Amino acid sequence: MSEDQSTAGSDGGLDVLLRTEQTFPPPPEFAAQANASDPGIYERADADPEAWWGSWAEKLEWIEPFDEILDWSDPPFAKWFTGGKLNVSANCLDRHVAAGDGDRVAYYWEGEDGTRKEITYAWLLEQTQKAANGLKSLGIGKGDVVGVYMPMVPEAAVAMLACTRIGAIHNVVFGGFSAGSVVERMEVSGAKALITADATLRRGKPTPMKEAIDPAIADLETLEHVIVVDRAGSNPPMTEGRDHRWEELVGGAGGDCPPEPMDSEDPLFILYTSGSTAKPKGIQHTTAGYLTGVTATHKLVFDLKDDDVYWCAADIGWITGHSYIVYGPLANGATSVMYEGAPNYPAEDRWWEIAERYGATIFYTAPTAIRACMKWGVEHVEKHDLSKLRLLGSVGEPINPRAWLWYHENVGGGRCPIVDTWWQTETGAIMITPLPGLTTTKPGSATVPFPGIEAKILDESGAEIAEGGGHLALTRPWPSMARTLYQEPERFVETYWKRFGPDTYQVGDAARIDEDGYFWIVGRTDDVINVSGHRLSTMEVESALVSHPKVAEAAVIGVPDEDTGQAIFAFVTPSGGTVGDDELEAELRDHVAEKIGKLARPKQMAFADDLPKTRSGKIMRRLLRDIAAGEELGDVSTLRDPEVVESLQKQLAV
Ligand code: PRX
């Protein structure tokens, strides 16, 4: 196992106060009505995974049927449902409207400022076609990359769907990322257009988006068009010829845009995520397999019924938002809640107020948010009637049992099953999860692979470990698997498919399997830090730090954090003559926010004239982690300069 595994994950530091042996079988009344209620589902899917996935693909609407379910003749490059043609927006919108469900609410949207909109399937379809025509009028078509940098407004979903309508590949960048991150992602993907908003509302204040990225995008060679949604009426400067107002472009476009027939394997979108290097990876998902994966998992894991009000409180800018706010729910014709702002604005009960107002029945969020709610106090939850809730979900990081039990008791009233769903940007859809009507849950465990998915724990040599800890691997292809890294197929193979061979997907997580075959995710084995369920690479933060003129060298590690799961700790060597003080620390935190985004700001920083290195000059991160944790260090005599360690320890002891 790589040296980075030892401190990965949040579980170690968090649950000193509570571990539990308690297990939670599905409540009988839930099990009786569940979409998946026959335990034979696992065996059947296992006996013939292709037939299983094929049965889900057949539930989609095809323009031309597929002739082969899986072509795995050239691993790791899988092809699913070859020969078929379909369109994602038609599956998400047209077929529901055609079935008479045009008036059905797709999203109860609530702005942070209290604005409320009921977005119907008919409205979404109309807007999607107009936006698609608007894009077409700018010369954007099949295969073009369109950036989306938006707040959580309905237009963000429309923008994504409009791309799928015409076969353009969307590349969404989380609205909390900085201008620098947007530019990098637009540049490496060769984006032709970027859809953004004038501003986003956060804690009552409009924070500029368009104006913030303007200087940085000016030099992008491929970027021909910028389309700006008016969210806050802030009238940002517009560049003649390049910039377009969404309201004019879309408002003035025709309302009829037939869906482009797409091959099953045509790219649907790319989404950049952090890996072991400073350069983000463009995870590429394709049309039919992705849609099949998110539809099946959304239906079974969330036990979706016609009268459910489903709420995934993630952001559209992450894979969770793509799969479980937009594509899974819309393909299943769900009614969802979409909320724009902060969970504690204007008060700590904002989420619960919304849940009560719309009668949310299913709620899906991240452990970090649950821990924040715990901290704010149960009284905020208790103010509201959450009796309609029947199922809760968790995603993004290991959930510590204490948070699990709090969520279960206080949000779920002790009656709602919790689905702790493990998956990744790369997997596209949920991979390890309870099925709420079938699986007995154990707080802290994501439980077992979804039907048709095969997961194993492998040792260093790639041999399976029947019980115990090691590398998590997925050992069979699945429809929503990433097909490649955008324009970097070699890096795709190298990163995920080399270590254990071309048909075993190396997840990059360490996990343990227990005597019941339940999986317990420990954390990352690579240089990825998981802050509040958001992926950041140590290298990305390090390169942001060293791009500051007052920094000579930097090393970044993840440390356990009670609130955010992991937090960023940066060790910095200031450049000659610069003093490492509070002022520099503040300056560097701002600098990282500007380069990557606020979420990447180091929580702690330590300055030293040098960093602990081996004689060959390699920074010893393990030692840095021990120093950060205040642990005994043992033998440091192999270091090039053992005194460095002492100076760091002294600093941290203050
Ligand atoms: O380490 C795992 C952690 O999040 C990583 C994937 O991050 P990302 O691609 O940003 O997707 C997050 C949302 C799907 C994984 O490698 N992770 C995700 N879900 C869980 C988790 N760790 C433990 N338990 C989970 N349920």
Side-chain angles (χ1 to χ4, degrees):
M1 198 136 299
S2 92
E3 67 157 301
D4 281 344
Q5 193 207 309
S6 50
T7 53
S10 55
D11 213 25
L14 291 169
D15 271 327
V16 231
L17 293 176
L18 181 89
R19 289 211 160 270
T20 178
E21 296 297 317
Q22 224 181 330
T23 59
F24 294 81
E29 51 302 351
F30 192 103
Q33 59 79 64
N35 288 346
S37 56
D38 168 13
I41 195 173
Y42 286 100
E43 257 166 56
R44 285 196 301 277
D46 209 39
D48 193 347
E50 290 187 28
W52 161 254
W53 293 120
S55 75
W56 282 98
E58 276 161 17
K59 296 188 209 310
L60 301 176
E61 189 177 82
W62 293 82
I63 298 167
E64 270 174 41
F66 54 89
D67 15 77
E68 192 183 14
I69 294 176
L70 170 65
D71 174 357
W72 191 229
S73 57
D74 180 27
F77 299 101
K79 292 196 180 106
W80 284 88
F81 312 118
T82 45
K85 282 192 192 293
L86 74 171
N87 182 279
V88 166
S89 74
N91 272 280
C92 289
L93 306 174
D94 305 56
R95 69 173 162 150
H96 305 313
V97 175
D101 286 332
D103 291 338
R104 192 174 161 77
V105 173
Y107 298 112
Y108 289 110
W109 179 78
E110 181 150 331
E112 198 193 63
D113 57 1
T115 317
R116 290 173 206 160
K117 288 183 188 165
E118 283 189 16
I119 306 292
T120 63
Y121 277 89
W123 185 89
L124 266 187
L125 176 57
E126 180 197 285
Q127 292 298 307
T128 295
Q129 296 195 76
K130 282 168 154 276
N133 278 331
L135 290 172
K136 269 187 176 169
S137 74
L138 301 178
I140 293 154
K142 194 170 171 180
D144 288 332
V145 174
V146 176
V148 176
Y149 180 57
M150 296 271 269
M152 283 282 288
V153 291
E155 288 81 0
V158 173
M160 293 162 76
L161 290 160
C163 288
T164 73
R165 190 93 183 161
I166 60 174
I169 303 167
H170 60 69
N171 174 8
V172 181
V173 181
F174 169 56
F177 274 127
S178 68
S181 296
V182 177
V183 167
E184 183 182 22
R185 286 159 169 76
M186 294 306 114
E187 188 170 20
V188 292
S189 66
K192 197 163 166 184
L194 173 62
I195 306 175
T196 186
D198 64 332
T200 173
L201 289 191
R202 205 66 184 173
R203 305 197 167 279
K205 275 194 293 245
T207 310
M209 293 185 95
K210 157 73 164 71
E211 200 171 346
I213 57 173
D214 244 352
I217 58 177
D219 298 331
L220 286 174
E221 270 173 27
T222 59
L223 193 74
E224 295 172 16
H225 302 285
V226 178
I227 303 154
V228 187
V229 172
D230 181 10
R231 168 62 187 111
S234 67
N235 259 324
M238 300 288 277
T239 302
E240 185 70 40
R242 186 196 67 181
D243 298 352
H244 314 266
R245 292 181 195 283
W246 169 278
E247 293 70 24
E248 284 167 18
L249 184 77
V250 174
D256 188 23
C257 177
E260 181 76 28
M262 301 296 288
D263 282 345
S264 291
E265 281 296 325
D266 276 336
L268 177 64
F269 65 82
I270 44 180
L271 181 58
Y272 282 85
T273 187
S274 297
S276 293
T277 68
K279 193 171 162 229
K281 301 180 288 195
I283 308 296
Q284 181 172 319
H285 284 290
T286 50
T287 304
Y290 174 80
L291 197 62
T292 302
V294 296
T295 307
T297 50
H298 186 255
K299 186 100 189 165
L300 296 189
V301 175
F302 296 109
D303 193 49
L304 188 80
K305 303 288 194 320
D306 272 354
D307 54 357
D308 271 315
V309 177
Y310 161 87
W311 184 7
C312 168
D315 191 284
I316 255 176
W318 305 105
I319 190 67
T320 307
H322 284 53
S323 300
Y324 298 111
I325 295 178
V326 181
Y327 295 116
L330 293 180
N332 283 327
T335 293
S336 300
V337 172
M338 190 196 284
Y339 169 55
E340 179 184 37
N344 57 346
Y345 185 87
E348 280 81 4
D349 66 338
R350 184 68 191 268
W351 266 3
W352 317 121
E353 186 204 330
I354 294 173
E356 179 178 6
R357 174 157 38 253
Y358 301 107
T361 57
I362 304 168
F363 182 68
Y364 189 35
T365 189
T368 293
I370 299 164
R371 288 192 294 267
C373 292
M374 280 170 81
K375 223 175 198 177
W376 296 334
V378 73
E379 62 273 20
H380 301 291
V381 186
E382 285 170 346
K383 260 187 234 161
H384 297 279
D385 176 6
L386 302 179
S387 58
K388 294 238 171 86
L389 277 177
R390 61 182 199 92
L391 179 65
L392 301 175
S394 170
V395 61
E397 41 174 333
I399 180 163
N400 48 310
R402 198 154 70 97
W404 196 105
L405 291 169
W406 186 91
Y407 194 32
H408 185 257
E409 198 48 44
N410 298 298
V411 180
R415 70 184 176 277
C416 306
I418 296 183
V419 287
D420 175 0
T421 62
W422 175 88
W423 58 295
Q424 305 178 298
T425 308
E426 291 87 339
T427 67
I430 292 168
M431 295 283 108
I432 301 181
T433 177
L435 288 180
L438 286 171
T439 316
T440 292
T441 52
K442 302 183 185 184
S445 167
T447 73
V448 295
F450 185 78
I453 300 298
E454 189 175 68
K456 288 182 181 161
I457 302 292
L458 306 181
D459 69 12
E460 292 302 309
S461 71
E464 184 175 357
I465 295 173
E467 200 186 318
H471 295 277
L472 180 62
L474 300 175
T475 47
R476 207 193 254 161
W478 65 99
S480 65
M481 62 201 284
R483 296 299 192 270
T484 189
L485 295 180
Y486 189 64
Q487 294 178 342
E488 294 185 298
E490 279 139 38
R491 189 173 173 208
F492 177 67
V493 176
E494 182 73 30
T495 312
Y496 304 107
W497 304 95
K498 195 136 184 219
R499 171 144 199 187
F500 301 120
D503 44 19
T504 301
Y505 172 74
Q506 185 195 354
V507 164
D509 279 3
R512 182 166 65 78
I513 186 165
D514 71 13
E515 67 282 7
D516 299 320
Y518 276 42
F519 288 81
W520 301 75
I521 312 298
V522 178
R524 303 285 309 187
T525 54
D526 54 9
D527 293 328
V528 168
I529 310 179
N530 191 333
V531 181
S532 305
H534 300 152
R535 257 163 91 162
L536 290 158
S537 94
T538 54
M539 294 275 286
E540 225 172 337
V541 183
E542 283 165 10
S543 67
L545 284 166
V546 298
S547 71
H548 191 282
K550 291 182 188 162
V551 174
E553 191 169 42
V556 162
I557 56 165
V559 292
D561 186 275
E562 236 189 74
D563 299 325
T564 57
Q566 282 192 295
I568 298 177
F569 195 131
F571 293 84
V572 173
T573 303
S575 49
T578 308
V579 183
D581 53 12
D582 290 352
E583 206 177 308
L584 181 62
E585 181 168 339
E587 201 175 324
L588 295 181
R589 281 167 49 83
D590 286 349
H591 180 71
V592 173
E594 201 179 290
K595 284 271 157 190
I596 305 175
K598 280 189 183 159
L599 73 167
R601 284 180 306 195
K603 185 163 180 182
Q604 279 174 280
M605 226 180 262
F607 296 103
D609 292 342
D610 197 2
L611 297 173
K613 292 188 190 121
T614 59
R615 293 214 169 101
S616 61
K618 192 171 175 286
I619 296 176
M620 291 188 67
R621 290 169 191 285
R622 172 176 288 171
L623 211 57
L624 289 176
R625 277 194 290 261
D626 289 346
I627 295 170
E631 280 173 15
E632 284 290 317
L633 298 184
D635 184 16
V636 292
S637 61
T638 56
L639 287 178
R640 197 166 67 181
D641 179 5
E643 275 175 23
V644 168
V645 169
E646 222 173 283
S647 119
L648 280 170
Q649 277 177 316
K650 264 197 213 134
Q651 219 184 113
L652 294 181
V654 181

